[in-house]
Amino acid sequence: MPKKIFSGVQPTGNLHLGNYLGAIKNFVDLNNDDQNECIFCVVDLHAITVKQDKDELRSNIRETAATFIASGIDPSKSIIFNQSKVHAHAEGSWMLSCMAPMGWLNRMTQFKEKAGKDKEKASVGLYIYPILMASDILLYDTTHVPVGEDQKQHLELTRDIAQKFNKDFDCDDFLKSPEPLIKKNFSRIMSLKNGLKKMSKSDLSDLSRINLTDTKDEIINKIKKAKTDSFQIPNEGQNLKDRPEAENLLGIYSSISDQTLDKTLKEFGGKNFSDLKSQLAEVLSSKISPISDEIKKLTNDYEYLDKILAEGATKAEEIAGKKIAEMKKIIGF
Ligand code: TYM
């Protein structure tokens, strides 16, 4: 069965190794399988759930599209567009938000993390953002959604919302429940400075993450400074318990080298972290630097990026426009 793939990335700057290994690298593999129909969206409506500078937002939208292409997504095979260009996303989000109970949203752990202690000051948009994400996915009859582990709960909510809509309006399988595609072992890349914290664009320390625009020297320096512990690298995975930094670096090495953790442990078991770090810096810079160079080249070519985004939006609009029209009919508009 051909898969219908949809996924999104926020254009909030500093796309990093977590975004790449958790999501974008999988987008590329899915794009390369000719059987799949892939849609990759720059989710700019999601980005404004926190305050954005308008010039930075505009440039980050292009940079995110450039990152997709530089990583290997072929715009002639996959649809690449930015969310705000296709009205159906916001419309669908409103209709679904009228169906989804608040109790479901109250359970979303990412809102609690992002809103922090002062929930009252967080935007309503940040609170209902998982519904916009559900709208993104459901408008395209998506069968599979490649994401990092932090999005798992939002996908469960998407499935619940789809089922509730179908039941409330007695319309069987109208909204399709999608399957998450989450890589088993390496779907949560952690900070280089704290193995218990997710690698994130909002971390104040730039040393905590490898940005996809980092130079070779920056990558080498960050890996050199990455936190480790004072033991040797173990031979077996079970001995990585309570050693989050070791587990993270070994996981990053395995994922970027496309090999299992067991194979990596065979390679490095009994060795010191300095051995792992020098190899890791080597492999990371050989894989990330070409992407970084290509992002820089593409972001200078506004015309090309804007053309890709405009063509993508036209194709997305065709699909989502039909679905939203049916949805309105079902509701009674
Ligand atoms: P966003 O922009 O925060 O992240 C984009 C993708 O990167 C993954 N990711 C990670 N994976 C592993 N380790 C990490 N440290 C790490 N940090 C980020 C995320 O899981 C995600 O896959 N709500 C989404 C965007 C979105 C979306 C959608 C995704 C909007 N609509 C529809 C799928 C389908 C978000 O904020 O991702």
Side-chain angles (χ1 to χ4, degrees):
M1 273 287 279
K3 294 189 181 99
K4 289 190 180 183
I5 309 289
F6 185 100
S7 197
V9 175
Q10 292 198 50
T12 38
N14 286 342
L15 287 187
H16 52 73
L17 191 64
N19 299 123
Y20 181 68
L21 295 179
I24 299 171
K25 186 166 175 281
N26 304 337
F27 299 175
V28 177
D29 294 340
L30 292 160
N31 163 89
N32 288 341
D33 182 338
D34 286 337
Q35 286 227 306
N36 298 333
E37 290 168 30
C38 298
I39 305 181
F40 300 114
C41 186
V42 179
V43 289
D44 48 8
L45 294 175
H46 277 95
I48 63 161
T49 54
V50 295
K51 196 168 179 346
Q52 299 292 331
D53 173 89
K54 88 170 178 201
D55 294 328
E56 268 177 39
L57 177 63
R58 195 164 290 143
S59 122
N60 285 336
I61 291 169
R62 291 187 177 120
E63 188 173 303
T64 307
T67 304
F68 287 168
I69 300 166
S71 302
I73 295 171
D74 177 353
S76 69
K77 278 192 186 168
S78 296
I79 297 177
I80 297 175
F81 76 107
N82 57 315
Q83 194 186 25
S84 63
K85 287 268 175 65
V86 178
H87 302 181
H89 290 250
E91 260 188 293
S93 175
W94 174 253
M95 293 181 226
L96 296 176
S97 70
C98 295
M99 253 111 257
M102 279 175 63
W104 289 2
L105 282 178
N106 288 339
R107 291 207 294 268
M108 296 296 114
T109 52
Q110 200 172 73
F111 173 74
K112 289 178 197 156
E113 277 162 28
K114 286 199 174 168
K117 284 192 193 104
D118 207 354
K119 262 201 338 237
E120 299 291 315
K121 285 202 178 138
S123 71
V124 176
L126 189 66
Y127 178 65
I128 60 166
Y129 130 147
I131 301 186
L132 177 58
M133 180 162 161
S135 169
D136 299 341
I137 296 167
L138 298 172
L139 283 171
Y140 297 89
D141 291 341
T142 305
T143 60
H144 293 84
V145 186
V147 280
E149 209 259 341
D150 61 342
Q151 297 298 321
K152 192 169 172 220
Q153 197 184 28
H154 294 159
L155 281 179
E156 281 158 10
L157 181 80
T158 300
R159 293 169 61 91
D160 288 343
I161 290 177
Q163 280 155 25
K164 184 164 188 299
F165 184 97
N166 293 342
K167 192 159 167 255
D168 285 359
F169 293 99
D170 196 14
C171 55
D172 228 9
D173 197 26
F174 172 68
L175 294 181
K176 311 268 183 276
S177 291
E179 293 294 330
L181 286 179
I182 300 177
K183 285 264 160 175
K184 254 202 197 113
N185 291 319
F186 318 119
S187 57
R188 194 172 176 84
I189 304 297
M190 309 309 275
S191 154
L192 298 177
K193 287 284 160 199
N194 178 352
L196 297 174
K197 240 172 98 181
K198 198 179 70 169
M199 185 178 283
S200 146
K201 47 192 141 195
S202 54
D203 197 313
L204 292 178
S205 166
D206 195 53
L207 288 175
S208 70
R209 62 181 165 263
I210 306 281
N211 300 306
L212 295 181
T213 47
D214 281 347
T215 61
K216 197 170 174 181
D217 287 346
E218 282 167 327
I219 294 174
I220 294 170
N221 182 43
K222 286 178 179 179
I223 294 299
K224 209 187 259 170
K225 294 201 168 132
K227 190 175 169 200
T228 52
D229 55 38
S230 49
F231 306 103
Q232 277 187 338
I233 296 172
N235 290 297
E236 291 187 30
Q238 69 204 36
N239 297 333
L240 282 171
K241 257 192 203 141
D242 302 323
R243 298 183 62 186
E245 284 83 17
E247 190 175 10
N248 190 37
L249 291 184
L250 289 159
I252 292 175
Y253 184 85
S254 310
S255 178
I256 196 87
S257 315
D258 284 316
Q259 65 183 37
T260 61
L261 183 61
D262 277 350
K263 178 145 191 262
T264 302
L265 287 169
K266 278 205 185 91
E267 217 175 312
F268 292 102
K271 293 189 178 164
N272 295 320
F273 280 105
S274 54
D275 297 312
L276 171 65
K277 281 186 167 186
S278 62
Q279 288 274 85
L280 179 57
E282 184 76 25
V283 67
L284 276 176
S285 43
S286 77
K287 301 263 172 147
I288 300 298
S289 301
I291 297 178
S292 160
D293 293 344
E294 191 62 20
I295 295 174
K296 280 171 204 146
K297 215 168 82 193
L298 287 169
T299 43
N300 282 326
D301 195 347
Y302 276 20
E303 264 180 43
Y304 170 71
L305 291 174
D306 290 352
K307 183 169 159 273
I308 297 291
L309 287 170
E311 284 172 2
T314 306
K315 291 182 198 155
E317 170 69 41
E318 239 174 72
I319 307 169
K322 273 191 203 132
K323 193 77 181 175
I324 204 86
E326 286 175 59
M327 205 163 150
K328 283 178 170 172
K329 228 182 186 171
I330 287 173
I331 289 177
F333 291 143

